[in-house]
Amino acid sequence: MRSICVYCGSNAGNKPTYTERAIALGNHLAKDGLALVYGGGNVGLMGIVADAVLEAGGEVIGVIPEQLVEWEVAHKDLTRLEVVANMHERKARMFDLADGFVALPGGFGTLDEMFEMLTWRQLGIGDKPCAFLDVEGFYTPLIAMLDRMVEERFLHADQRRDLWHGDDIDAMLGWMRAYQPALASKWMDEKRRNALR
């Protein structure tokens, strides 16, 4: 594992712990020699995690759509900043650059990006680890919703188990390094085999 994509808010939230955890994650990535791939912004938790990696001597690759550059939110001091045409290209490029995906607290964009990666993995398009790094229970209601999806048979239990959720950065990175892209992929392979019968 050489790089981690972090999805997070373009706002910093209303609790100091959001900033503190973003800085902690950035420091861990730099210390572990993992490059940060992220949305290229200089605002909110996005800018905070990027600055933390840079200040700790790490590598940061930003991928930002042209529209957001025009809004003057692009981070100017990254190791590398790639400008793409739109959000669809941004997601695809971040997928190519990253070996795993982490969601810090955020809004619509954060959930959109993470759930697209989970969907791609479900469909067999990708097999990279995905994790929700929680801060003071921010993602607990969302994880409960995923459990509800399993209970109501809209999500396979293996796919739910194939997703990390917690607040320990070391444990998360350890899980990501040891990740075996088995559960969701095996489930999709079984679905394909059954469809051919």
Side-chain angles (χ1 to χ4, degrees):
M1 182 167 285
R2 295 168 297 179
S3 59
I4 297 290
C5 177
V6 175
Y7 302 127
C8 56
S10 57
N11 293 300
N14 62 359
K15 297 178 181 176
T17 48
Y18 296 139
T19 293
E20 291 164 7
R21 294 303 281 167
I23 292 171
L25 177 59
N27 288 335
H28 271 75
L29 295 179
K31 179 191 73 174
D32 290 356
L34 295 167
L36 168 67
V37 176
Y38 87 118
N42 63 6
V43 293
L45 294 186
M46 293 174 66
I48 290 166
V49 71
D51 286 340
V53 174
L54 292 169
E55 289 170 15
E59 179 183 2
V60 180
I61 303 167
V63 183
I64 192 167
E66 292 172 355
Q67 178 185 14
L68 297 186
V69 173
E70 293 168 3
W71 290 353
E72 299 182 350
V73 299
H75 199 304
K76 304 297 186 185
D77 299 315
L78 305 179
T79 310
R80 186 165 90 239
L81 180 66
E82 298 188 11
V83 180
V84 296
N86 52 53
M87 292 295 289
H88 299 294
E89 288 188 19
R90 179 199 228 178
K91 291 178 193 173
R93 183 60 180 148
M94 291 167 84
F95 175 83
D96 290 338
L97 290 168
D99 297 318
F101 303 91
V102 174
L104 279 169
F108 284 158
T110 300
L111 294 182
D112 170 60
E113 289 170 319
M114 179 58 95
F115 275 100
E116 183 145 2
M117 293 304 100
L118 291 168
T119 302
W120 287 9
R121 196 176 68 186
Q122 183 183 49
L123 297 174
I125 298 171
D127 59 5
K128 300 176 183 181
C130 297
F132 284 95
L133 183 58
D134 218 339
V135 181
E136 293 193 9
F138 181 84
Y139 280 121
T140 299
L142 178 64
I143 299 303
M145 185 68 233
L146 298 182
D147 291 336
R148 174 76 184 276
M149 291 175 183
V150 174
E151 291 171 9
E152 301 293 335
R153 298 180 66 101
F154 288 105
L155 184 66
H156 195 279
D158 284 347
Q159 294 168 337
R160 165 63 187 90
R161 286 192 291 269
D162 211 19
L163 169 66
W164 191 92
H165 166 247
D167 61 4
D168 187 312
I169 295 172
D170 284 322
M172 179 189 72
L173 293 176
W175 175 85
M176 296 182 88
R177 285 193 178 93
Y179 176 76
Q180 297 295 320
L183 297 176
S185 298
K186 284 181 180 176
W187 181 78
M188 265 320 283
D189 288 343
E190 182 181 335
K191 294 275 281 187
R192 290 191 189 100
R193 283 196 301 273
N194 289 339
L196 294 173
R197 289 177 183 166

